[in-house]
Amino acid sequence: MPNSCGNATTTTVFAPILPGREEALQSVLLQIPSGDTSPFECLGNTHFTRFVIVDRLEYEAAPQIPDGLKSHYLLFNAVFDGPLDDFIASMLRHFPELVDRIWSHCVGYPGSANPAAVRTYLRHNELEATFFFAAYGNSTLPQVRKALALRGRLTQFAIGAQGASAEELQARFRREFAESAEGTR
Amino acid sequence: MSAGNVQGNFFRGYTHPLCVFRFLEITDGPAAREWLKRLLPLITSEAPWDAKPAATLNLMFTWPGLRALEVPDEVLAVFPPEFRQGMAARADLLGDTGADAPGQWTDGFGTGRIHVGLSIYALDDTSLRERLDWLEQAAAETGGVAVVSEQVANRLVRDGPGGSKHYPEHFGYSDGLGQPAFSGVPVKSPRGGGSPEAKDTWRDLALGEFLLGYENEGGEFPSSLLPEPLWRDGTYVVYRKLEQDVPKFRRFLQEHGKAYPGGAEKVAAKIVGRWPDGTPLALRPEKPDADLSWDDTRNNDFRYADDPLGMKCPAGAHIRRANPRDALPFGSSMVNSHRLIRRGIPYGPALPDGQSEDDGAERGFLFVAYQTNIARQFEFVQALWLNDGNKFGVGDDRDPLMGQGEGSGKMLIPGAPPHFLSPLPEFIRVRGGEYFLRPGIEGLHYLAAGAPAAAPAAGLRAAPRPDPLQQAVRDLGAQVADGLKAFGQNLAHGLQNLTLQHPHLTQAQLSLLRKHRPIFVLGKTAVVTRSADVREVLGDGARFQVAYGPVMAALAGPGTLGMGATAEYDHDAAALRAVVRQEDLSRIASFVDDLVPQLLATYRPGGRLDLVRGLCNVVPIRVLAEYFGTPGVSEDLQLRWSHQLFEEIFGNIWDNVADITPQGRAVAAQWSSYLDDLIERRREEQSAGVATPDDLLDRLLRQQQGDGPSLTDERIRANLIYMAVGFIPQVSKVTVLALDELLNRPQELAGAQAAARAGDLDLVAAYVWEALRFNAETPGLFRICPADTVLARGTERETRIPAGTLVLAATQSAAFDEEVVPEPDVFRTDRPWSTYLYFGAGQHQCLGEYVSRTQVPRIAAPLLRLNGLRRAEGDAGRLSWDGIWPKSLEVEFEAGS
């Protein structure tokens, strides 16, 4: 199962771009917000996504013969919790028009009106990973977020408690994390 | 590496006390090139000095600067994207935001106006002033450049025992002790600069990490798509003006020194990873050691692997982030391709010791770093190692000194108890910067001469190519092996991919094989690269058989091309040779001479033509119609049929009948049926006494009535198909490739054009065939060994080839074999025809050789006579491919010319 690591799945879709559509596609991609306002945020299970327009090959050897591609390609990579088909279905449920605006610039994209065909299309253009490493493969996105928030709290606590005596430190720690400690019992 | 071709201050840092950077705008390209010519004799190189020069001079250029010098667009386009964009455009990635943002920058940085960076280091004020005056005089005389800004810098010096010196920066740390050690240069670096290896040894890094034109740690040659003078012995420079708030830094140290055991000096050491005097924390975690700090053999010889928690040197300390040595997993393999040569220098007055009140003075550091890949080296280190701490297990902590952007605002000093430096303000503000190319001395000559004409210009020493390396041979072996293994038992597909893709084996790979493994046997395949051996393979059809027979037989019946050395072959070949006559060549010549100008005439008003569709595909199809008497159902179908069957026959190198595609069978059937009709009609016309054209079809049919050898209808049909299959696509492809190569070579293009205009067709042909050597149509021809045999017997290359081995006779390589081809890397028009092997050799030497040799230069010549011939702008002007076949290549010329 090279496309999965623990609970996490990765997909890499390498789709040929229709000739002459690169700029239009790029402007669609540049308009996709990242961070908290990313459309992928609302899926609730996406660790990372990235889009790359692959327009040429870099080959570095001297004396060099330039290498070429038959087409320009859109590379889409995502890491998410759960199986790929659920992820595709989730994208089509939450932002079908964005999926259309992106992949309609690619060769053979069937359109979100036919979700089964979109799934077939993305799977057809998928490259299987030969080695996939997920930093937190055994944790879901909400678990990772929770852990990061806890670390942030602990860091702030440690900074604030710098120089405190052992007794005071223990008392403050209990005050600060009593509720978390209860939660884990 | 040629030290005299490398600009100075590269592997030996200048130690002059004074320095001025001048940033210039080019206002007029030709005048600026004149200006540059004046400066050339004064450029300081790495050639050994008799005495330290009183003043140096070095130059570097931004991408807009190269454009302003009128470097051609096609050259500008192949520079790496980060260099083309420039530092300001990379601000988000680098964390240059807020007060560091390009909008806040000074001195003209980030405005696109800085084209040239000029640096002078001087021993004293007088020498500096003289050099500056001279430069001003030169600029006033030639014009073409204007000063945008000037930056004065001055070294701070800390004297040590025996005349040794350290060069601190304004925060008070001795700087520059941790430079990379790399191979191929005539200086010995202190221990600890290279890659940390087992048994406490250090390996020098590859020169190609820092100097263009040499192999880097990844076995690549960065930026080698550029014309050679632009990369040979050059480097990319990151220049950043970093303003330092020294009073703020000192107050911060004092404040935290009160709470942290060890005091302000130890806080300072933990922030950087060295004590201010240069003593590494990794070796002396408790207190500085003056003897150690002055001992170049020891003060950089340390590692971090024994201190994973950073108890001695914090994981977040500046020098441990900027060069983690062995602190990351997998030895140092994640570190070695992210190193920088640093040649920075401070500017502004030193703040007196002990003073921590603002004095209003501007001071800081001019960060100057050399590398061959800005994105992978400087940008990677800044964005991922200095601005973020995830890699080092410290979350989003940034580098306490050099990190930028948002972060947690703290630094952790591990210990018992740990200590947090928080809040952690920014002590440095980016005031501007640029990315520059710092060419070798030849590169400066190239730019001064005007780049297009200068590519192979006289007076420039042709630099030797990089030494081929055993490592690369192994890589190639691995590449071939991967290609083969991927297909399990079916080894052939691996080589098939190698030969059918274009470009295929690179010249570099072939050259490595020629030198190190001239007969390269890998499993059931072999690649033969020396001229003598290639000729031996092609010349002996019994030991090395053609591999097309059964597939051809299955497609349209047996043809001579697929036959071994048999009586049947002799008979059929004799019949074919009898109908191909010497005098036919002049007939074909005049046909092509009439046809090509007619074709060009239709494009003349528009001044634009697709070489592939409009010319090169058309001519062989028309010649076939005229000379063979087989026009085809349509020209379009004739082309597609020949492509399809070519791939079926020559792409199927194991000659596996089962691999013939249904399309291939359909095409063969349709083509055969078309020819059957044609044969029947022609025979009827002949018997009816109608005047018929004197073409090959006609002659082959009349031959059947004579006494000599003749072909049956089936064999006529098959051979007409196979000759078309060999003829149409390849004539077109070689013509396109030769023209494509000439369009890449301004000087040779001009030579070929002059020859065409002078009516010297032999010279045009010499240009065309020589161009094809550099842009080969195929890496070679395949043969199969029916029985064990020995190749190159009696030579040091003597190699046993087992029965069943598929042998690639690399004709492309043979044409570069130093043994028989003088100056193989040079474009020469005086080479003997035997150099090329374009039509093979031996039994299956191409039957159409003379027809093709007559045709190809005659297609090129009228085109070369057009005025202003050039590639069309953009992608249209680049050769595009449909699988292995050229698809389009548009050229422009003066309309009506």
Side-chain angles (χ1 to χ4, degrees), chain B residues 555-623:
Chain B
L555 282 168
T560 53
L561 186 55
M563 294 179 182
T566 59
E568 187 183 32
Y569 170 84
D570 290 339
H571 172 269
D572 284 10
L576 279 174
R577 294 221 172 85
V579 297
V580 179
R581 296 172 195 150
Q582 184 73 36
E583 62 268 26
D584 296 338
L585 291 179
S586 57
R587 178 173 142 201
I588 292 170
S590 52
F591 178 77
V592 176
D593 284 343
D594 287 338
L595 172 62
V596 174
Q598 281 173 33
L599 291 173
L600 292 181
T602 52
Y603 300 98
R604 205 155 275 166
R608 188 176 175 112
L609 157 73
D610 182 341
L611 284 184
V612 181
R613 281 178 276 225
L615 184 64
C616 298
N617 280 348
V618 180
V619 175
I621 290 174
R622 300 270 174 95
V623 168

Side-chain angles (χ1 to χ4, degrees), chain B residues 633-688:
Chain B
V633 178
S634 72
E635 293 191 349
D636 186 37
L637 263 190
Q638 193 81 331
L639 184 72
R640 280 196 277 144
W641 282 357
S642 61
H643 283 177
Q644 179 75 42
L645 290 197
F646 187 98
E647 293 184 35
E648 297 292 343
I649 295 167
F650 299 102
N652 191 344
I653 55 176
W654 281 103
D655 207 23
N656 192 345
V657 173
D659 285 344
I660 297 175
T661 68
Q663 295 94 312
R665 290 186 185 279
V667 164
Q670 287 165 23
W671 205 339
S672 299
S673 151
Y674 158 75
L675 285 176
D676 284 342
D677 290 344
L678 202 65
I679 288 168
E680 196 178 328
R681 272 210 311 275
R682 181 65 65 89
R683 187 176 283 124
E684 278 169 17
E685 288 169 354
Q686 284 179 355
S687 16

Side-chain angles (χ1 to χ4, degrees), chain B residues 459-477:
Chain B
L460 288 190
R461 184 178 57 78
R465 296 197 174 275
D467 281 336
L469 299 157
Q470 288 287 357
Q471 178 61 41
V473 174
R474 284 197 294 276
D475 290 347
L476 175 58

Side-chain angles (χ1 to χ4, degrees), chain B residues 3 49 86 93 131 204 210 228 269 280 303 351 360 385 463 525 531 596 645 698 717 729 790 827 887:
Chain B
W49 297 332
L93 173 91
R131 179 59 45 106
D204 283 351
F210 308 103
E228 179 160 337
R303 305 185 181 201
L351 188 69
W385 287 356
T525 56
S531 180
V596 174
L645 290 197
D698 210 68
R717 186 182 72 195
V790 174
F827 191 110
K887 189 172 165 193

Side-chain angles (χ1 to χ4, degrees), chain A residues 56-68 70 72 136 151 155-156 158-159 162, chain B residues 77-79 81 84 220-225 395 410 419-420 422 465 503 506-509:
Chain A
R56 63 173 178 175
L57 298 176
E58 294 284 343
Y59 178 68
E60 300 189 314
Q64 193 169 62
I65 298 173
D67 207 344
K70 285 185 184 174
H72 293 177
Y136 313 109
R151 181 170 81 167
T155 303
Q156 285 316 308
I159 292 170
Q162 184 146 286
Chain B
V78 297
F79 279 101
R84 297 198 311 255
E220 303 156 333
F221 295 79
S223 288
S224 46
L225 270 175
K410 70 164 178 9
H419 187 87
F420 291 97
S422 177
R465 296 197 174 275
T506 66
Q507 293 292 4
Q509 292 170 330

Side-chain angles (χ1 to χ4, degrees), chain B residues 43-173:
Chain B
I43 302 296
T44 314
S45 81
E46 279 288 357
W49 297 332
D50 296 325
K52 188 187 279 191
T56 66
L57 179 62
N58 292 103
L59 292 174
M60 54 190 184
F61 302 87
T62 60
W63 188 80
L66 296 173
R67 191 174 50 190
L69 277 176
E70 300 175 338
V71 170
D73 287 346
E74 61 268 26
V75 173
L76 291 170
V78 297
F79 279 101
E82 71 278 6
F83 177 67
R84 297 198 311 255
Q85 292 170 12
M87 188 185 289
R90 314 283 284 182
D92 285 347
L93 173 91
L94 296 173
D96 292 345
T97 54
D100 300 318
Q104 309 278 328
W105 289 358
T106 59
D107 302 347
F109 291 113
T111 62
R113 285 181 58 216
I114 291 182
H115 293 158
V116 186
L118 179 156
S119 62
I120 302 161
Y121 286 74
L123 291 177
D124 51 60
D125 283 322
T126 313
S127 309
L128 181 64
R129 195 64 254 165
E130 274 177 19
R131 179 59 45 106
L132 287 170
D133 288 347
W134 185 92
L135 285 167
E136 267 149 36
Q137 183 69 30
E141 284 171 21
T142 63
V145 292
V147 176
V148 177
S149 61
E150 180 170 294
Q151 178 68 54
V152 177
N154 47 284
R155 234 175 259 291
L156 306 177
V157 180
R158 187 174 280 158
D159 287 304
S164 51
K165 292 184 195 314
H166 279 177
Y167 301 102
E169 48 67 64
H170 284 290
F171 289 145
Y173 299 91

Side-chain angles (χ1 to χ4, degrees), chain B residues 467-547:
Chain B
D467 281 336
L469 299 157
Q470 288 287 357
Q471 178 61 41
V473 174
R474 284 197 294 276
D475 290 347
L476 175 58
Q479 186 182 326
V480 174
D482 286 349
L484 299 175
K485 279 176 193 154
F487 293 91
Q489 289 303 306
N490 191 357
L491 299 178
H493 282 122
L495 273 179
Q496 182 174 331
N497 287 344
L498 277 179
T499 184
L500 282 186
Q501 68 194 5
H502 187 97
H504 16 70
L505 290 174
T506 66
Q507 293 292 4
Q509 292 170 330
L510 290 171
S511 147
L512 291 164
L513 283 178
R514 271 199 308 280
K515 185 154 182 189
H516 301 287
R517 299 273 190 86
I519 300 173
F520 185 31
V521 183
L522 190 88
K524 282 287 190 186
T525 56
V527 181
V528 175
T529 44
R530 287 280 186 85
S531 180
D533 304 337
V534 166
R535 284 165 206 274
E536 184 183 345
V537 170
L538 296 180
D540 193 334
R543 286 158 63 217
F544 302 95
Q545 293 185 346
V546 287

